[in-house]
Amino acid sequence: MKYTIVLIVFISSLFSCKKDDSDMKILQSKLDSISFQLEELKKESKTQTDSISKDTIQKPIEMKKQIPIQSKEKLQITKKEKPTKLNNPSNDTTYHYFSDGRLSVKIAPRADRQKIWIYLPNGEVIYELENIRLSYSCYNELVFRKNGSVEKVISNLNPGASMYMYSSVIHFDERNEPRYKIDEKTPSTLEEHMNNKSLWDSKNRRWVKQEIVYETITPPSKN
């Protein structure tokens, strides 16, 4: 605003002056006055600018805290995952594996007649069992080694309308090959208790009962 006033005064002075020497002197005097006023205005403007700059520097700048936004991938990682069960639900097929990942045992879904397959490491079925839930029942309990192979199978048979109960324990090697089994009948005689072991015939894949042969020693005859 001050600059505008000074210019107006300067222009007015130009129009009012005359071409003679006296007028030129007056004009020069006015110009000197205007120059002085301009210098004073510049100094005043510079002082105000410096003051504003100092106030701006001294005033602390407030930074807004940024709220960290997690990506979708990070959010998914922090979610609690449900533990995975080793065995499938009763209405699904259950699989057991050797420590190297090969199939060891497959158990069919729960039913009145539930099949169980035991595998060799080469994938061949070596032995079959069956859980039965009818008028009679048969239940097989499998015991595994740490390497995933079957250590033994404990079988219990309830014939239903019978005074006897039957059970057997089948032992396997680390390849799931059957080795021997021991059969029990309750109640049983001494002879049945003594002759209750069978060996596995790997070639023909069947059980061979081991019987104790009692030898009678006949004393020599006297002549």
Side-chain angles (χ1 to χ4, degrees):
M1 185 67 182
K2 290 181 179 182
Y3 284 100
T4 306
I5 294 172
V6 171
L7 290 174
I8 293 172
V9 172
F10 175 75
I11 295 169
S12 300
S13 299
L14 288 176
F15 279 104
S16 61
C17 65
K18 296 180 180 181
K19 295 182 179 181
D20 53 7
D21 295 337
S22 61
D23 292 338
M24 292 298 293
K25 291 179 179 180
I26 295 171
L27 179 60
Q28 184 65 39
S29 176
K30 289 182 178 182
L31 287 172
D32 293 339
S33 176
I34 291 170
S35 298
F36 177 77
Q37 290 180 5
L38 287 172
E39 291 295 330
E40 291 295 323
L41 288 172
K42 288 180 180 180
K43 291 179 180 179
E44 184 179 352
S45 176
K46 184 177 180 182
T47 303
Q48 291 178 355
T49 303
D50 294 340
S51 176
I52 292 171
S53 300
K54 289 180 180 180
D55 293 340
T56 304
I57 294 170
Q58 292 176 357
K59 187 176 180 181
I61 299 173
E62 296 181 359
M63 298 294 292
K64 293 183 178 180
K65 293 182 179 180
Q66 295 183 354
I67 301 174
I69 300 174
Q70 294 181 340
S71 63
K72 291 183 179 180
E73 294 180 357
K74 291 183 178 179
L75 290 174
Q76 291 176 355
I77 293 172
T78 55
K79 288 182 179 180
K80 292 183 178 180
E81 297 182 355
K82 295 181 179 180
T84 304
K85 294 182 179 180
L86 295 177
N87 293 331
N88 296 326
S90 58
N91 60 342
D92 291 336
T93 302
T94 303
Y95 299 90
H96 295 271
Y97 298 90
F98 290 101
S99 56
D100 60 3
R102 287 178 291 183
L103 183 61
S104 175
V105 173
K106 182 172 73 171
I107 304 174
R110 185 182 178 89
D112 292 339
R113 303 184 74 97
Q114 182 183 26
K115 297 283 290 185
I116 300 172
W117 298 271
I118 299 177
Y119 292 83
L120 293 173
N122 63 6
E124 183 182 2
V125 176
I126 185 62
Y127 204 76
E128 293 186 18
L129 300 164
E130 191 173 31
N131 292 331
I132 302 172
R133 303 173 184 85
L134 298 171
S135 58
Y136 65 100
S137 63
C138 178
Y139 178 73
N140 297 280
E141 178 185 356
L142 280 72
V143 180
F144 292 89
R145 295 185 181 89
K146 290 183 179 180
N147 67 350
S149 64
V150 179
E151 181 178 353
K152 60 183 176 180
V153 174
I154 304 170
S155 299
N156 291 281
L157 173 63
N158 183 0
S162 174
M163 61 178 292
Y164 297 103
M165 295 283 293
Y166 300 90
S167 65
S168 64
V169 180
I170 307 172
H171 293 264
F172 295 78
D173 63 13
E174 294 192 355
R175 297 180 61 258
N176 282 354
E177 180 87 24
R179 302 302 296 169
Y180 66 92
K181 72 171 180 174
I182 299 174
D183 297 314
E184 295 285 348
K185 184 176 74 171
T186 307
S188 63
T189 64
L190 179 60
E191 184 179 357
E192 290 172 337
H193 184 73
M194 296 295 293
N195 293 282
N196 62 350
K197 187 174 182 179
S198 300
L199 297 179
W200 178 256
D201 183 357
S202 299
K203 184 178 181 180
N204 298 310
R205 294 191 177 182
R206 64 185 182 88
W207 292 109
V208 178
K209 194 170 185 63
Q210 300 299 298
E211 296 183 358
I212 298 175
V213 177
Y214 295 95
E215 183 178 356
T216 305
I217 300 175
T218 306
S221 61
K222 294 180 181 181
N223 294 328

